[in-house]
Amino acid sequence: MNVSVAPDIDLALDHPIALETHHHSEKKGIMHYLWSYDHKMIGLQYLWTAFLFFLLGGALAMAVRYQLGFPNHPVPLIGRFLPSTLASDDGTIIPGGYNMLVTMHATIMVFFVVMPLLIGAFGNYLIPLKIGAGDMAFPLLNEVSYWLYVISGFFILAAFFAPGGAPGTGWTAYAPLSAVAIYNQTQVGQSLWGIAIFINGLASIAGATNYITTIITMRAPGMTMFRLPLTVWSLLITSILLIFAVPVLSAAAAMLFFDLNFGTSFFKPAGGGQPLLWQHLFWFFGHPEVYIMILPAMGLVSEIMPVFARKPVFGYKAMVYAMASIGLLGFIVWGHHMFVSGMNLTLSATFAVSTMVIAVPSGIKTFNWLGTVWKGSIEYTVPMCFTLAFVSMFVIGGLSGIFMASTPVDLFVHHTYFIVAHFHYVLFGGSLFAIFSGIYFWFPKMFSRMMNPTLGMIHFIATFLFFNLTFFPMHNLGLGGMMRRIADPTVYEHLRQLQPLNVICTIGAFGLGLSTLVFFVNLFYSIFKGPQAPDNPWLATTLEWTISSPPGHGNFPITPIVYNGPYEYSVPGMDKDYLPQNEKAPTNIQLEIH
Amino acid sequence: MSSSALTTPFDQVHSTESSHHGAPPHVCKFGMIIFLLSEAMLFAGLIGGYIVLRLASAQWPPSPDLPALPKVLTGCNTLVLIASSLAFHMVEVSVKSGKTGRRWLLLTILLGSTFLCGQAYEWTHLYREGLWFHVGGVYGSSFFVMTGFHGAHVLIGVLLILWCFLRQCFFKSFTQHHHVALDNVGLYWHFVDVVWVFLYMILYIV
């Protein structure tokens, strides 16, 4: 069965293999954009749809920050247009409406922005290109997965227009608040949330099935597992996490739906159900989900960093093993979200220890990134700046994570803004910085034009400053005792003296919103007016840079043969400082064995 | 680890088989197995939740006036479902030996439908006895949601096999050498049967 292709077989030159993957024809006209089987178009569909949700999720975040910075002041400009479930007649956000804003901001950012961008957009676009395949294993399933995501998006948006308004139970939707209609006041809204999560899960599972199958079965000759670019490795591991974690959330969302609409009592104590069961099911999904959102980001930066340091990634295999162990450990730590749920102390200590163990592979990755830039010839391009910022922000978010892994500390900071600071450092400072980095890096491949570096640098500096201005003070707010999910901090006496910090966070958030607009201006300007990009503008080694920009239908005119690992930069003795994966090293050059 | 130990399966994908429409058979099967792993996790979530709820309950059924689940009748129904798995196995055996396998397909559909009818009878029976989604607390909730989820899977399975049967009758789609869709429907069908054996044990017997 397993036909091994020895890396140094000379079949490339003598017998070019015609690509056999043109089993679906290219679509013309509007269908090219709506119902394409081409993985690149599907990747772009994910990209644009997720950007729309990103604008909505960002607007919700700013509404949240406005209320916290200036409680009970009418929201300027848009306040009067907000529905009555969110704001009063003069445009002031009401407490119930505040909860809805928080819930929808988080749900949209997690399920409709970060996951679709990292996995849907980059995953679809890059996997076949990087492994030397013509397309995904199942192109139809791929497109179905995108449309399932769109349908789930309609359901989550419909929740805003439900009779009781959107759900206000937080993205974690803890029972019994979420499971009993008279508690959450919006049976329809919460049900739509459940349906959206369920369908979104189907999209994730369809995508993950496709990715795993493609990576395992469709690699070009010579592309061994340990020659895979780290982006591909990260997406493979992420897909495995999706396969095992997402269905559990789907089961929980279904139970929640039945509790709300069919009178079942899974999470209702009155019928013998258990609210804690929801927490266990949710976090069994929820913690792997954390790694689902950071592993692909780690993959992207591991890919971009060696290009701009002109050095091989430090400890390639260690990077792979670290990601695999993070993925594995991610399944046995969910209890650290539940330290205050009355958990048995021995169990709580077990979860604390297993959580802290994750710091080891995370540390390996961090030090390997440092090792990669160490003594490199660093080019401070926009993607490299975002990549370096990713590492430093991830370290801050990761370290605060170790704080709360410790049960006694967590008892103190649980449900405070310390947690909010922590997960924004890993989700925004981590995942989203990597996404920006990836967009700037692969934009020339996607649209065959360069993005404007000046606007890009303004975007980077503004984002970096305003990000820290927004989220760093939240550590102090949390340690000062500010609880999450309160609509008006000023009603609590102990929080009044902290209000200036809240104002600072709010100013930062609006700065962050403006800097994101700079990004979108740059994006649209560059698509139409940017200078033409060469096929390999960054002089990178992986396979997508060996073909035209954007790659044609079917990707590779001739199936590439892979001879080298993905990060052969500055190989001693070579004329040029990089060696593409499909180029044989000159005979006098001895590469390290990969 | 030397890189040559890790093979690339490229040649299998790009062999002559791929000129046939769609991904080659072993790729399809691989994808199906990954999908079934996620299905297994869905049922693991439901079963896990059931175990938690049941262990927390002082007695089971939670109240003595709730009806017991019909062990014997459903036991017979379980045998019907297992028989349908065997029948589908015979479909694959006969197609691989060059026959159409239509009779075995029809038998699988009949057995699968019999199971669904048995489950429908059981639901109505329990409803008359006073057990429903919202009656009987977690006892009713878990029973109807879990058997409902499984029943929906069986229904989809029967429809898929019906599709195979019709394709075989009108187009002779599956031959000795091209039967990947049949194999994948088979994987799904056997999976659904195995899940039922677990559900029967945990819901009815234990």
Side-chain angles (χ1 to χ4, degrees):
Chain A
M1 276 293 281
N2 284 316
V3 182
S4 156
V5 177
D8 46 1
I9 287 181
D10 227 349
L11 23 70
L13 306 170
D14 304 335
H15 308 286
I17 306 169
L19 207 72
E20 293 274 11
T21 41
H22 289 270
H23 48 251
H24 50 83
S25 56
E26 198 170 356
K27 297 255 189 316
K28 300 281 178 230
I30 187 81
M31 289 309 276
H32 175 62
Y33 298 100
L34 293 182
W35 187 261
S36 171
Y37 291 169
D38 189 317
H39 71 101
K40 298 183 290 298
M41 182 51 70
I42 297 171
L44 294 179
Q45 287 176 325
Y46 267 110
L47 187 79
W48 294 120
T49 314
F51 274 155
L52 286 178
F53 277 108
F54 182 45
L55 290 173
L56 174 63
L60 294 172
M62 277 185 266
V64 165
R65 271 323 317 174
Y66 186 82
Q67 165 67 14
L68 288 174
F70 312 102
N72 306 323
H73 287 60
V75 181
L77 302 173
I78 59 161
R80 285 174 188 282
F81 303 105
L82 292 175
S84 62
T85 48
L86 294 179
S88 59
D89 288 341
D90 67 344
T92 311
I93 292 168
I94 55 177
Y98 174 84
N99 287 342
M100 294 175 195
L101 291 173
V102 170
T103 304
M104 296 301 272
H105 161 69
T107 305
I108 285 173
M109 285 302 194
V110 168
F111 293 101
F112 296 90
V113 179
V114 172
M115 285 173 76
L117 280 176
L118 280 176
I119 305 164
F122 286 116
N124 265 310
Y125 204 94
L126 296 176
I127 288 174
L129 290 177
K130 280 183 174 296
I131 67 172
D135 206 317
M136 286 284 178
F138 311 116
L140 170 64
L141 183 69
N142 208 9
E143 182 65 354
V144 168
S145 146
Y146 167 72
W147 281 104
L148 284 171
Y149 159 59
V150 173
I151 291 168
S152 72
F154 279 119
F155 274 102
I156 202 72
L157 293 179
F160 279 112
F161 306 100
T169 55
W171 87 285
T172 54
Y174 271 14
L177 180 63
S178 58
V180 182
I182 51 166
Y183 297 166
N184 61 44
Q185 299 279 308
T186 175
Q187 182 179 3
V188 179
Q190 190 71 54
S191 301
L192 287 169
W193 182 91
I195 296 170
I197 295 301
F198 192 89
I199 299 176
N200 194 282
L202 290 179
S204 294
I205 291 164
T209 303
N210 221 337
Y211 292 2
I212 297 173
T213 311
T214 306
I215 296 169
I216 299 297
T217 64
M218 293 181 63
R219 301 190 311 278
M223 181 62 90
T224 57
M225 288 305 277
F226 282 120
R227 283 179 179 170
L228 281 178
L230 286 169
T231 304
V232 180
W233 261 113
S234 72
L235 285 159
L236 176 65
I237 295 164
T238 303
S239 301
I240 296 170
L241 296 191
L242 284 168
I243 289 290
F244 286 101
V246 167
V248 178
L249 177 70
S250 304
M255 291 185 204
L256 179 66
F257 181 84
F258 283 109
D259 269 11
L260 276 166
N261 298 293
F262 285 74
T264 57
S265 32
F266 289 106
F267 308 124
K268 293 187 257 187
Q274 290 206 20
L276 258 185
L277 174 62
W278 170 267
Q279 291 192 29
H280 278 293
L281 291 173
F282 183 86
W283 288 117
F284 181 85
F285 152 80
H287 205 78
E289 170 70 7
V290 171
Y291 299 117
I292 286 166
M293 292 190 287
I294 199 71
L295 282 175
M298 291 173 162
L300 296 183
V301 301
S302 307
E303 187 84 31
I304 294 167
M305 193 175 274
V307 177
F308 297 112
R310 308 311 291 171
K311 272 185 65 195
V313 87
F314 186 89
Y316 170 88
K317 283 188 183 172
M319 289 298 229
V320 173
Y321 294 137
M323 284 194 287
S325 30
I326 290 173
L328 203 65
L329 288 168
F331 278 101
I332 54 166
V333 297
W334 79 90
H336 68 221
H337 295 271
M338 300 166 58
F339 283 152
V340 297
S341 66
M343 179 184 278
N344 174 306
L345 279 181
T346 314
L347 191 59
S348 153
T350 313
F351 277 123
V353 170
S354 61
T355 305
M356 288 183 192
V357 169
I358 296 188
V360 176
S362 306
I364 290 173
K365 295 198 74 69
T366 305
F367 285 107
N368 281 2
W369 286 321
L370 295 184
T372 305
V373 288
W374 178 255
K375 292 191 170 175
S377 319
I378 302 174
E379 296 167 62
Y380 290 98
T381 57
V382 181
M384 184 59 166
C385 288
F386 270 109
T387 291
L388 295 173
F390 167 94
V391 176
S392 45
M393 297 300 98
F394 176 75
V395 166
I396 296 177
L399 287 179
S400 58
I402 301 177
F403 283 43
M404 55 198 67
S406 161
T407 313
V409 181
D410 185 71
L411 294 180
F412 178 62
V413 297
H414 192 90
H415 213 263
T416 68
Y417 263 71
F418 194 81
I419 309 287
V420 180
H422 159 74
F423 65 68
H424 281 97
Y425 264 87
V426 281
L427 256 174
F428 196 131
S431 307
L432 218 50
F433 275 29
I435 287 167
F436 284 135
S437 176
I439 299 280
Y440 283 103
F441 187 71
W442 278 288
F443 185 90
K445 189 49 65 184
M446 292 173 173
F447 303 104
S448 74
R449 287 175 191 273
M450 303 299 289
M451 282 183 87
N452 184 309
T454 314
L455 282 175
M457 202 47 94
I458 293 171
H459 170 223
F460 167 71
I461 292 169
T463 305
F464 187 79
L465 292 178
F466 285 123
F467 167 78
N468 282 293
L469 190 67
T470 310
F471 295 108
F472 201 85
M474 287 187 188
H475 291 109
N476 307 51
L477 282 168
L479 293 178
M482 181 168 163
M483 304 77 85
R484 291 171 72 180
R485 295 171 181 156
I486 50 169
D488 181 2
T490 57
V491 299
Y492 300 92
E493 203 183 334
H494 73 286
L495 296 180
R496 274 184 208 140
Q497 52 164 340
L498 296 173
Q499 192 54 21
L501 280 181
N502 266 318
V503 176
I504 290 173
C505 291
T506 299
I507 293 168
F510 278 85
L512 210 46
L514 286 176
S515 56
T516 305
L517 291 184
V518 176
F519 168 73
F520 280 108
V521 167
N522 192 355
L523 193 72
F524 285 108
Y525 172 80
S526 304
I527 283 180
F528 298 108
K529 299 275 179 180
Q532 285 291 331
D535 289 347
N536 190 0
W538 315 114
L539 307 180
T541 53
T542 44
L543 291 178
E544 76 270 30
W545 303 107
T546 63
I547 48 177
S548 62
S549 300
H553 192 66
N555 297 341
F556 296 90
I558 297 173
T559 301
I561 312 281
V562 176
Y563 298 102
N564 317 303
Y567 305 112
E568 296 298 346
Y569 293 99
S570 305
V571 180
M574 268 188 65
D575 298 341
K576 56 180 182 181
D577 77 337
Y578 69 106
L579 179 63
Q581 284 197 277
N582 62 345
E583 241 177 71
K584 274 184 130 179
T587 42
N588 58 330
I589 306 287
Q590 192 66 43
L591 292 176
E592 286 176 55
I593 304 296
H594 283 297
Chain B
M1 200 182 299
S2 86
S3 58
S4 55
L6 297 159
T7 63
T8 64
F10 177 89
D11 281 17
Q12 298 164 35
V13 179
H14 293 264
S15 65
T16 47
E17 278 176 308
S18 60
S19 56
H20 186 69
H21 183 79
H26 76 278
V27 173
C28 294
K29 268 194 194 170
F30 186 89
M32 191 66 186
I33 290 166
I34 301 287
F35 170 70
L36 290 180
L37 280 176
S38 79
E39 286 275 39
M41 286 307 292
L42 176 80
F43 283 103
L46 291 168
I47 293 171
Y50 172 79
I51 292 172
V52 169
L53 295 175
R54 183 159 168 182
L55 289 179
S57 181
Q59 49 178 344
W60 200 259
S63 140
D65 16 295
L66 290 168
L69 302 177
K71 277 183 199 175
V72 179
L73 182 71
T74 313
C76 298
N77 220 2
T78 307
L79 292 178
V80 169
L81 201 62
I82 293 171
S84 82
S85 241
L86 291 174
F88 199 91
H89 179 69
M90 288 313 295
V91 174
E92 295 174 272
V93 169
S94 56
V95 168
K96 278 174 194 163
S97 68
K99 297 176 199 146
T100 63
R102 278 186 306 209
R103 287 183 188 169
W104 289 112
L105 275 169
L106 195 61
L107 182 65
T108 316
I109 295 167
L110 286 176
L111 288 169
S113 311
T114 310
F115 175 84
L116 280 177
C117 292
Q119 289 298 92
Y121 169 77
E122 190 182 313
W123 273 37
T124 45
H125 168 74
L126 287 171
Y127 178 71
R128 288 205 196 96
E129 299 253 310
L131 191 67
W132 197 235
F133 284 92
H134 61 283
V135 190
V138 283
Y139 185 61
S141 310
S142 53
F143 174 79
F144 285 103
V145 169
M146 288 166 84
T147 54
F149 254 98
H150 180 263
H153 278 79
V154 175
L155 180 64
I156 291 167
V158 168
L159 292 174
L160 285 172
I161 298 168
L162 185 65
W163 173 78
C164 289
F165 176 70
L166 294 175
R167 299 240 359 202
Q168 194 65 322
C169 287
F170 294 111
F171 306 112
K172 294 225 169 29
S173 296
F174 311 110
T175 62
Q176 205 165 358
H177 303 293
H178 290 106
H179 46 77
V180 60
L182 207 61
D183 287 353
N184 278 338
V185 171
L187 280 174
Y188 175 84
W189 188 247
H190 298 316
F191 168 80
V192 168
D193 290 1
V194 170
V195 168
W196 177 254
V197 173
F198 279 101
L199 286 182
Y200 177 67
M201 304 255 257
I202 201 164
L203 285 173
Y204 295 78
I205 305 291
V206 180

